[in-house]
Amino acid sequence: MTGSTLTILLSFGTGILSLVGLMSIFISMNSQHNVQRSREILWTLAALPYERNLFHEKGSIGKEVFRHFIIYEQIINQKHGFSKIIIQFAQYALGFCILIWTTMGFSLMFSERPLFEKIFIFSGWLLTVSFTLYFILKIFEELKSTSKVGRLPAVEEIVDADRVNSGISVVTLAAISSCIRMVDSRVYLGFPLPFKNLRINLSFFDSKEGGLPDIGSRLTFKECMESYTPLDPEKFEILEDDYCWYLIKILDHHKNGHKDSLITLEVLSLQGLVTVEFYIEEFSGQKNTSLNIYPYSFEERFINRVSTLDPFSINQIKSSTEVKEEVNSCLN
């Protein structure tokens, strides 16, 4: 292959790479807006439990949580048809560049050249092709997903209350957006979304069940993880609205027909423990009666934020270190 032919092939490859660079800029600008919007939604959800007058409008918290989660889902799962066509075109263009480089490389290697030059040409060709294939198979494939581009949690991850590194406290959002519905003698617990890995404990302060458990140590926290009732996100009911309702308790008309009652709901996950309180002014528990009760306060305890400033995270690290030291001392 003559030098002029190699020059023409090189100009072809240079032109194609310039075009791919322009397409990459278009793809980045097109996905950056979605990434920024998704991050703003996560920040809003993270700050929502700490807004002033949070429980002022009954039922509005659940609507806000539902709305933000749905918008996030739509952005993350949005089908970017035109962007995917551009990405595929860029992948094909880079594949054509690999073909050009392979032709030029083998042409130079089979020419009359010193051995060290041939080794240098082959090493350069192998390194270039490897990087290009990485971009084709890895980088450009990730550009098709907004969550991978922005390193954002997927939809399944932001409803999982056991994922500590999701960026938001799912267990807190589930607790403050919860609702208790009393239909006849049945007590339902509702959430705006089918949150995963939630464990709950419901206490009637005027009944024999008592109040809050004494959670004073990490060991007790682990015991509560086993003793609390887990909620299956797939086994919920629909009752006149789009909430996820779980049947928690069946009341006794004679024992639970009261006027004033305080209900405490403890929501537990690996992210921590959140307690919310509900106040019932009057409920007879008789037939054809229905009552919706929304929380009026909440308290976070043992919230694990995976931070060097978070006391619970520091305590977990210390506890795990102490356990390792005890095991090592026993072995020695």
Side-chain angles (χ1 to χ4, degrees), residues 21-299:
L22 293 175
M23 289 186 293
S24 300
I25 295 174
F26 166 79
I27 295 169
S28 299
M29 294 179 63
N30 191 43
S31 60
Q32 182 61 32
H33 176 72
N34 291 333
V35 171
Q36 185 62 29
R37 178 59 177 152
S38 300
R39 285 175 179 165
E40 290 176 357
I41 293 174
L42 291 179
W43 294 335
T44 302
L45 287 172
L48 180 63
Y50 315 106
E51 292 184 356
R52 295 182 60 184
N53 301 322
L54 179 66
F55 300 107
H56 183 67
E57 296 183 10
K58 301 299 183 181
S60 61
I61 306 173
K63 295 178 182 178
E64 283 295 307
V65 171
F66 179 80
R67 184 175 66 88
H68 283 90
F69 270 84
I70 292 299
I71 293 175
Y72 184 86
E73 180 187 31
Q74 291 175 349
I75 295 176
I76 292 296
N77 295 336
Q78 186 177 0
K79 305 298 182 182
H80 305 283
F82 184 69
S83 296
K84 288 184 177 181
I85 293 175
I86 298 297
I87 292 173
Q88 290 178 352
F89 182 78
Q91 290 174 318
Y92 295 148
L94 288 178
F96 187 68
C97 283
I98 291 177
L99 180 61
I100 293 176
W101 296 331
T102 303
T103 304
M104 296 175 61
F106 277 94
S107 176
L108 294 174
M109 288 181 60
F110 286 108
S111 62
E112 294 296 331
R113 294 178 180 275
L115 180 61
F116 76 92
E117 287 190 11
K118 292 183 178 180
I119 295 175
F120 179 77
I121 292 172
F122 178 77
S123 301
W125 170 83
L126 183 62
L127 185 63
T128 303
V129 170
S130 299
F131 272 110
T132 307
L133 286 175
Y134 178 78
F135 269 84
I136 293 175
L137 302 177
K138 179 67 175 178
I139 301 300
F140 278 103
E141 283 297 324
E142 289 191 355
L143 286 176
K144 297 179 181 179
S145 173
T146 302
S147 61
K148 292 181 179 179
V149 171
R151 296 296 183 264
L152 299 169
V155 176
E156 295 78 12
E157 295 175 348
I158 62 172
V159 295
D160 189 351
D162 276 351
R163 293 189 65 90
V164 182
N165 59 346
S166 63
I168 56 176
S169 180
V170 179
V171 64
T172 304
L173 290 174
I176 65 173
S177 62
S178 62
C179 177
I180 290 181
R181 171 170 289 184
M182 308 181 78
V183 182
D184 299 337
S185 60
R186 299 185 302 276
V187 180
Y188 291 91
L189 175 63
F191 298 97
L193 295 166
F195 295 107
K196 299 179 180 179
N197 296 318
L198 289 181
R199 304 159 184 84
I200 60 103
N201 180 45
L202 196 66
S203 302
F204 286 80
F205 268 74
D206 61 345
S207 65
K208 296 180 181 180
E209 297 179 11
L212 294 173
D214 183 16
I215 302 180
S217 65
R218 187 166 174 265
L219 177 62
T220 315
F221 181 82
K222 282 187 173 181
E223 292 175 351
C224 288
M225 295 289 289
E226 300 176 357
S227 61
Y228 280 32
T229 304
L231 293 181
D232 191 341
E234 298 182 356
K235 296 182 179 179
F236 61 86
E237 301 180 34
I238 300 295
L239 304 175
E240 300 177 358
D241 53 22
D242 52 2
Y243 254 55
C244 302
W245 295 102
Y246 302 88
L247 180 60
I248 302 299
K249 186 181 180 64
I250 298 179
L251 299 175
D252 189 325
H253 294 316
H254 301 287
K255 293 182 180 181
N256 296 90
H258 43 252
K259 291 186 177 181
D260 296 328
S261 176
L262 184 65
I263 300 179
T264 299
L265 170 66
E266 297 166 303
V267 186
L268 185 69
S269 73
L270 292 181
Q271 292 183 347
L273 170 69
V274 180
T275 303
V276 287
E277 294 181 338
F278 303 81
Y279 180 72
I280 308 175
E281 292 184 355
E282 182 177 359
F283 185 75
S284 62
Q286 300 300 322
K287 197 172 182 179
N288 298 326
T289 57
S290 179
L291 178 65
N292 283 355
I293 313 149
Y294 297 97
Y296 68 89
S297 67
F298 79 100
E299 179 186 359

Side-chain angles (χ1 to χ4, degrees), residues 295-309:
Y296 68 89
S297 67
F298 79 100
E299 179 186 359
E300 292 180 309
R301 292 195 286 178
F302 295 111
I303 297 298
N304 192 355
R305 299 179 176 88
V306 190
S307 169
T308 56
L309 303 177

